[in-house]
Amino acid sequence: MNVLIVEDDRGLARELGLFLHQERYQCDFARTGREASEKLFVNDYDFVLLDLGLPDQDGLQLLAQVRRERQSPASIIILSARGSVDDRINGLDLGADDYLPKPYSLLELLSRMQAVTRRKHGVRQDALALGGFTLNLSERTLRYGSTALDLTRKEFDLLHYLLLHRGKVLTRQQLSEHIWGSSASESTDHDSNFIDVHVKNVRKKLAQHEPGVEWIETVRGVGYRLKADATSPAA
């Protein structure tokens, strides 16, 4: 998942970015409200981690602008030393998904991000079902019954993202940015053919356990969609 860290403290931003990178998140950084607004206009993010004490504006102003102008559908978690009840109420009323006062535990932040993701996509547990398969989010495993499938990190991220958006068409660019972050467009390795290869590999591994069931549908000229209900192709 893609995260925009809006924090003017370079050391804190770097620490947070390193931690989230280890947890398989792709991170961009912004030190000012203006820089954050520009990145939100250009890139798609799953999360914005927002400090309120920015050098050019109050973070609450940025939050209000993003929600008012619908600049981004990202989930927004406020991370701020301003932990008064009034600040928390204002932040949540303006559209923040959560509010965590500084200093905070990185593990607690991760837990809250996972909880926000589950709420946003209607997931009530730490596992997602796909026919006879179970995708466990915390363990980062895919099982068919008791059998574990050998997915690479990028294959897991791809299938997870498709599952969260089950039934919706995702473009190759969206999938690429989800796996590699906004830097995807800057690398020759992260082209649409590379996404096609990952999809092919995932399909093959699913078909080994449920042959004849077509889970991932190609939307010609656009991208891919995970079917809400799998169907066997006609004979």
Side-chain angles (χ1 to χ4, degrees):
M1 289 190 173
N2 293 329
V3 180
L4 177 62
I5 299 174
V6 187
E7 170 63 66
D8 64 327
D9 185 323
R10 293 182 185 274
L12 183 57
R14 182 176 182 276
E15 178 186 7
L16 181 53
L18 288 173
F19 172 77
L20 291 176
H21 179 73
Q22 293 173 348
E23 297 298 328
R24 313 304 188 198
Y25 290 88
Q26 304 291 337
C27 297
D28 282 349
F29 300 88
R31 297 187 64 245
T32 67
R34 179 177 180 178
E35 186 181 1
S37 185
E38 291 173 350
K39 287 182 179 291
L40 286 166
F41 182 77
V42 173
N43 303 313
D44 290 328
Y45 294 101
D46 299 287
F47 277 97
V48 176
L49 303 182
L50 176 63
D51 179 34
L52 298 185
L54 302 176
D56 60 339
Q57 69 178 126
D58 190 308
L60 290 177
Q61 293 177 310
L62 175 63
L63 170 61
Q65 174 189 330
V66 170
R67 291 311 193 211
R68 181 178 63 251
E69 299 178 4
R70 299 184 179 181
Q71 284 184 314
S72 172
S75 300
I76 299 178
I77 298 181
I78 294 175
L79 306 175
S80 176
R82 289 157 47 181
S84 71
V85 173
D86 286 343
D87 282 324
R88 296 188 193 195
I89 292 174
N90 287 338
L92 294 171
D93 284 348
L94 287 172
D97 295 274
D98 207 341
Y99 195 119
L100 195 58
K102 296 177 180 178
Y104 54 84
S105 160
L106 291 174
L107 290 176
E108 181 182 0
L109 171 61
L110 178 63
S111 178
R112 292 197 183 207
M113 291 173 68
Q114 292 170 342
V116 168
T117 298
R118 290 194 295 268
R119 291 199 304 269
K120 184 174 182 178
H121 296 283
V123 179
R124 303 297 181 185
Q125 53 201 11
D126 196 35
L128 298 173
L130 179 68
F133 301 94
T134 301
L135 193 78
N136 189 292
L137 306 183
S138 59
E139 297 178 359
R140 292 185 60 84
T141 58
L142 177 67
R143 293 181 178 276
Y144 186 77
S146 60
T147 303
L149 279 71
D150 183 21
L151 293 186
T152 67
R153 179 174 67 84
K154 290 182 173 60
E155 290 168 359
F156 181 94
D157 290 342
L158 175 68
L159 183 58
H160 180 203
Y161 201 59
L162 286 167
L163 265 166
L164 289 178
H165 298 85
R166 187 193 297 250
K168 297 181 181 179
V169 178
L170 297 176
T171 67
R172 289 174 173 82
Q173 181 66 23
Q174 286 176 306
L175 293 169
S176 181
E177 289 185 352
H178 170 70
I179 294 176
W180 289 285
S182 62
S183 62
S185 59
E186 302 171 4
S187 173
T188 57
D189 291 334
H190 303 157
D191 57 21
S192 61
N193 289 335
F194 212 63
I195 289 295
D196 294 340
V197 170
H198 282 296
V199 170
K200 180 180 178 180
N201 290 339
V202 172
R203 281 173 167 164
K204 182 178 180 180
K205 292 176 181 181
L206 296 177
Q208 288 175 349
H209 298 274
E210 288 190 351
V213 179
E214 192 174 329
W215 280 111
I216 303 176
E217 178 183 28
T218 300
V219 181
R220 193 174 300 276
V222 181
Y224 296 98
R225 170 174 54 205
L226 191 73
K227 292 185 178 180
D229 296 301
T231 56
S232 298

Coordinates of all heavy atoms in Angstrom, one line a residue, residues 212 214 231-235:
G212 N -9.9 -24.8 -13.4 CA -11.2 -24.4 -14.1 C -11.9 -23.3 -13.6 O -12.9 -22.8 -14.1
E214 N -11.9 -19.4 -12.8 CA -11.2 -18.2 -13.3 C -11.5 -17.0 -12.4 O -12.5 -16.4 -12.4 CB -11.7 -17.9 -14.7 CG -10.8 -16.8 -15.4 CD -11.3 -16.6 -16.9 OE1 -11.7 -17.6 -17.5 OE2 -11.1 -15.5 -17.4
T231 N -16.4 -18.1 -11.7 CA -17.2 -19.0 -12.5 C -16.2 -19.9 -13.3 O -15.2 -19.4 -13.7 CB -18.1 -18.2 -13.5 OG1 -17.3 -17.3 -14.3 CG2 -19.1 -17.4 -12.7
S232 N -16.7 -21.1 -13.6 CA -15.9 -21.9 -14.5 C -16.1 -21.6 -15.9 O -17.3 -21.3 -16.3 CB -16.3 -23.4 -14.2 OG -16.0 -23.8 -12.9
P233 N -15.1 -21.5 -16.8 CA -15.3 -21.2 -18.2 C -16.1 -22.3 -18.9 O -16.1 -23.4 -18.5 CB -13.9 -21.1 -18.7 CG -13.0 -21.9 -17.8 CD -13.7 -21.8 -16.4
A234 N -16.9 -21.9 -19.8 CA -17.7 -22.8 -20.6 C -16.9 -23.8 -21.3 O -15.8 -23.5 -21.8 CB -18.6 -22.1 -21.6
A235 N -17.4 -25.0 -21.4 CA -16.6 -26.1 -22.0 C -16.7 -25.9 -23.5 O -17.6 -25.4 -24.1 CB -17.2 -27.4 -21.6

